[in-house]
Amino acid sequence: MGAACKDDGNQSLTVTDNRTGKVYQIPITRNSIPATAFKAIKADPRTHWLTDRPEDETEQGLRVFDPAFQNTAVVESRITYIDGARGVLRHRGIPIEQLVEKSSFLETAYLIIYGQLPSGPSLKTFEDEVLHHTYLHQDVERNLATFRYDSHPMSILTSAFATLGAFAPEANPSLAGSKVYTNAASGNLEALKLMDKQILRIIGKAPTLAAAAYRVRQGRPFNRPPQGLSYTESLLYSMDHLSGTEYRPNPVFSNALDKLFIIHADHELNCSTATVLQAGSSLVDPYSAVAAGCAALYGPSHGGAAEACVRQLLEIGTPDNVPGFMAAVEKRERVLVGFGHRVYRNVDPRSTAIRKICDDVLKVTGKSPLLETALTLADLASKSEFMRSRQLYPNVDFFSGIIYYAMGIPLDFFPVLFAVPRCVGWLAHWRQSMLQRGGVKIWRPRQVYVGEGERDYVDVDARKESWGASVFDAPVQVTHGGDTMRNRLATYRDEAGKLHTRSRL
Ligand SMILES: CC(C)(COP(=O)(O)OP(=O)(O)OC[C@H]1O[C@@H](n2cnc3c(N)ncnc32)[C@H](O)[C@@H]1OP(=O)(O)O)[C@@H](O)C(=O)NCCC(=O)NCCS
């Protein structure tokens, strides 16, 4: 395979297929190559069957094997740029540090979704619109109230977004027409209106749903979203207000949340955003796509790191246990959760801003023993040669975990406070995908099939018991919660009239 070279002013890659000796020119655009170009690279049909199985689909051309999307770009995007090596994160070109310092969450949301900072009147209209879309249909409220008190709040939130979709049939391409959103790409105003209405609804209702998930678990009635409060004040009000009038959350907490929401609004093609785009590519309604994103975010490898970080701090306990824990980290027996990042190999650009938010919040809440432990850990880690030489700095989850904990947020509610602002990123990417020229192509990755070749069906009597020899090749025996020992020791006749005796212990 040759190196990238200039070809008539264009960059290209020269590839030699050593199976056939044929040479291919593959264009390079913006330092990327089109994966479909590899489909033209085919083995010699006269010889490939000597080595390849039919399932290798050799005649269809080369496939690009990239498990976990480690080096596959699936969209052209104008939204967010990350340079992990240099510690850069910019939304629509503006560095995150400037946004955290100068912007508000809803202004950043506008920027991320629509591409520009809004003028003063446009921002006011956008804020009013979002905050006028906070109310839920009372049937949605009733639905939310049926969750058990011990449901994980992300289960509730995920279901709630899907439920919202059932209340907007006009916004469902399966009912209203498959092009109701993609028509917007040609500037169709009705399609744009429909799209932006759903964006306002989802961003507006997200805090109300989050607060409902919080209140269900406390067995408390839901608050009606307040009027005249900011986005994050409204969320805190809906979560916390019990009685009395003119309830106002502490401004340090609402400001801290607002800045944390800016920090969490988008992070280009992370797992949940890719999930939203994958679901959205079938032209499903945006509520379902956002519910899918919520489900992906909920996984411990994605939205659960802040929670895992606090759990580790609780495990460490008091500050005097920190040196012992650090020693275990340096011996590579433990991993310091909340440090290091797959993309940022330098200081995470968000962590400096978040450190300041953390200080502000701790001034109001005071430091708990756990926070002393966290700060001792951060201090010791910054002096550790092991951590420094590997460029392992506190990541955004370390400080957000501490802030949420200091604010008295339950650990399993942390991902909810990630999902609410991330709706902005999901919807910005969804909108961008609906507006792409040439329409939306359904995302359908390929696979490398490594299973059985063709084989014949065997009648049941002729099958051997040894089939399913390994624990993975047959269902394991499961236990039945309702099948108590008393039931197993009882006798009864089932619906078919068969008598069951007491031999089932
Ligand atoms: C985020 C994370 C998964 C990135 O992992 P990665 O890209 O695979 O990092 P690497 O394996 O390249 O790490 C390089 C070295 O640092 C070490 N390392 C990385 N993160 C570490 C951590 N948090 N604590 C201790 N050692 C760590 C690795 O063991 C490796 O050491 P080695 O070179 O001696 O083998 C990893 O840093 C991690 O597990 N962090 C803790 C969990 C966390 O906070 N996740 C939230 C991320 S937003």
Side-chain angles (χ1 to χ4, degrees):
M1 195 174 287
C5 62
K6 295 268 183 188
D7 179 20
D8 293 337
N10 296 320
Q11 294 188 331
S12 67
L13 185 75
T14 303
V15 176
T16 306
D17 184 345
N18 293 325
R19 296 171 303 180
T20 59
K22 284 192 188 164
V23 177
Y24 300 83
Q25 295 286 335
I26 300 190
I28 296 178
T29 314
R30 294 181 189 274
N31 193 33
S32 72
I33 48 168
T36 45
F38 285 86
K39 288 182 84 162
I41 303 179
K42 296 180 180 170
D44 185 340
R46 290 164 304 178
T47 54
H48 76 75
W49 58 268
L50 294 171
T51 50
D52 296 349
R53 304 186 327 146
E55 291 79 9
D56 291 342
E57 299 175 5
T58 308
E59 282 171 27
Q60 293 182 36
L62 269 190
R63 295 170 292 200
V64 179
F65 182 51
D66 185 13
F69 291 148
Q70 292 176 87
N71 190 29
T72 294
V74 286
V75 296
E76 281 184 334
S77 180
R78 296 173 182 277
I79 301 172
T80 292
Y81 174 68
I82 300 174
D83 178 344
R86 292 193 299 135
V88 170
L89 168 61
R90 296 183 211 132
H91 295 312
R92 303 287 188 173
I94 302 180
I96 188 70
E97 295 90 333
Q98 291 186 27
L99 291 171
V100 174
E101 190 191 334
K102 299 181 179 169
S103 186
S104 67
F105 171 64
L106 286 183
E107 183 183 69
T108 298
Y110 187 112
L111 169 77
I112 290 175
I113 298 168
Y114 299 107
Q116 303 298 333
L117 284 169
S119 66
S122 302
L123 174 60
K124 176 86 181 61
T125 308
F126 182 67
E127 285 173 342
D128 287 350
E129 286 285 4
V130 169
L131 295 169
H132 275 93
H133 282 88
T134 48
Y135 263 61
L136 302 178
H137 191 293
Q138 62 176 359
D139 290 347
V140 176
E141 282 185 2
R142 274 201 279 267
N143 197 299
L144 286 168
T146 61
F147 278 91
R148 288 168 56 101
Y149 70 94
D150 58 354
S151 308
H152 193 290
M154 282 299 281
S155 296
I156 304 178
L157 191 68
T158 304
S159 313
F161 278 122
T163 305
L164 277 190
F167 289 77
E170 79 289 357
N172 187 336
S174 300
L175 300 169
S178 62
K179 294 193 170 165
V180 286
Y181 297 116
T182 49
N183 277 342
S186 56
N188 179 314
L189 265 186
E190 286 311 307
L192 277 167
K193 263 192 223 166
L194 190 76
M195 177 183 277
D196 286 344
K197 173 95 175 162
Q198 310 325 309
I199 290 174
L200 293 171
R201 276 179 171 161
I202 292 172
I203 298 175
K205 291 180 198 319
T208 318
L209 298 175
Y214 184 78
R215 304 278 287 201
V216 163
R217 286 154 28 100
Q218 297 173 322
R220 292 188 174 147
F222 303 149
N223 282 317
R224 289 282 131 80
Q227 298 204 329
L229 299 189
S230 76
Y231 192 77
T232 48
E233 280 179 319
S234 178
L235 170 62
L236 288 170
Y237 174 102
S238 303
M239 285 168 67
D240 297 332
H241 175 46
L242 291 174
S243 60
T245 56
E246 295 179 30
Y247 182 92
R248 226 40 222 250
N250 187 303
V252 172
F253 293 162
S254 50
N255 286 338
L257 263 194
D258 197 80
K259 292 197 181 305
L260 283 169
F261 279 15
I262 294 175
I263 283 169
H264 286 100
D266 189 46
H267 211 228
E268 54 118 300
L269 281 201
N270 52 85
C271 174
S272 58
T273 305
T275 303
V276 169
L277 290 177
Q278 169 90 44
S281 79
S282 73
L283 302 183
V284 75
D285 66 277
Y287 299 94
S288 303
V290 164
C294 234
L297 184 87
Y298 178 15
S301 299
H302 186 2
E307 178 182 344
C309 172
V310 172
R311 288 196 194 282
Q312 186 169 79
L313 290 172
L314 290 169
E315 180 199 332
I316 295 171
T318 50
D320 48 316
N321 293 332
V322 169
F325 196 87
M326 270 308 298
V329 170
E330 288 171 354
K331 278 191 248 152
R332 305 181 67 186
E333 290 166 7
R334 299 298 302 261
V335 165
L336 209 49
V337 180
F339 285 74
H341 197 279
R342 173 55 62 84
V343 176
Y344 296 115
R345 297 303 184 177
N346 205 316
V347 176
D348 180 338
R350 302 165 297 177
S351 63
T352 318
I354 212 170
R355 177 77 208 241
K356 161 97 180 53
I357 305 169
C358 188
D359 291 342
D360 292 346
V361 168
L362 295 188
K363 266 187 216 138
V364 175
T365 62
K367 289 182 194 163
S368 68
L370 177 119
L371 301 171
E372 298 284 3
T373 303
L375 298 177
T376 311
L377 188 65
D379 182 49
L380 215 58
S382 72
K383 294 177 184 146
S384 155
E385 181 50 31
F386 176 93
M387 301 294 280
R388 285 218 305 237
S389 63
R390 289 167 177 77
Q391 297 182 302
L392 298 171
Y393 304 101
N395 57 43
V396 72
D397 296 296
F398 182 74
F399 288 114
S400 58
I402 296 172
I403 295 168
Y404 293 147
Y405 188 81
M407 285 173 63
I409 305 288
L411 296 191
D412 58 5
F413 201 71
F414 290 9
V416 174
L417 294 180
F418 187 167
V420 170
R422 187 50 62 86
C423 285
V424 165
W426 294 335
L427 291 166
H429 288 269
W430 171 76
R431 187 177 189 272
Q432 177 176 260
S433 78
M434 291 298 127
L435 292 181
Q436 66 192 290
R437 285 173 202 280
V440 177
K441 220 168 164 45
I442 192 163
W443 286 20
R444 173 59 170 90
R446 301 196 61 195
Q447 64 166 7
V448 173
Y449 177 75
V450 295
E452 301 280 355
E454 185 175 353
R455 55 181 175 159
D456 286 328
Y457 180 85
V458 178
D459 289 332
V460 67
D461 295 338
R463 293 174 209 162
K464 296 195 188 90
E465 213 27 68
S466 62
W467 284 14
S470 117
V471 71
F472 302 112
D473 298 332
V476 291
Q477 181 67 53
V478 297
T479 51
H480 302 132
D483 198 6
T484 62
M485 176 267 290
R486 295 183 305 284
N487 274 344
R488 289 194 296 273
L489 290 176
T491 54
Y492 66 99
R493 206 174 277 283
D494 66 20
E495 284 82 354
K498 185 177 167 207
L499 183 68
H500 291 260
T501 59
R502 295 175 188 152
S503 57
R504 298 188 304 127
L505 245 193

